Amino acid sequence: MDKDKRAIRGEHRPVSVKRDMAELKRNSTASIGELREFLAKMKGRKPSEMLGIISQSNLVRCTGQAFLVIVVLLLTFTLAPMA
């Protein structure tokens, strides 16, 4: 049986330190590559340009939306029992 199919079905693989270390190395390499790509985009730009690139991402908008949803839920579930 293919190990990807087992993972999809939720079956556990046997513990293997060697495999875990290889996976850690592969993931670290991918993270370093992403970081280098990001830094290459930032190289030679003014701070205001960098902030513009960062603000164009949906991170700020999504964080604000999540905050509002949490506040609404908190107020709803706090005040509803009192009504």
Side-chain angles (χ1 to χ4, degrees), residues 25-78:
K25 183 178 179 181
R26 187 178 66 243
N27 291 339
S28 298
T29 303
S31 297
I32 290 171
E34 291 170 1
L35 181 60
R36 284 185 180 150
E37 180 183 337
F38 175 75
L39 291 175
K41 280 183 176 180
M42 297 293 126
K43 188 174 183 179
R45 295 184 185 233
K46 298 177 187 173
S48 58
E49 288 180 283
M50 290 191 295
L51 290 175
I53 290 171
I54 293 169
S55 68
Q56 287 175 354
S57 73
N58 291 329
L59 180 62
V60 175
R61 183 176 53 88
C62 292
T63 302
Q65 287 176 346
F67 174 77
L68 290 175
V69 168
I70 295 296
V71 168
V72 168
L73 289 173
L74 182 66
L75 290 174
T76 301
F77 288 113
T78 301

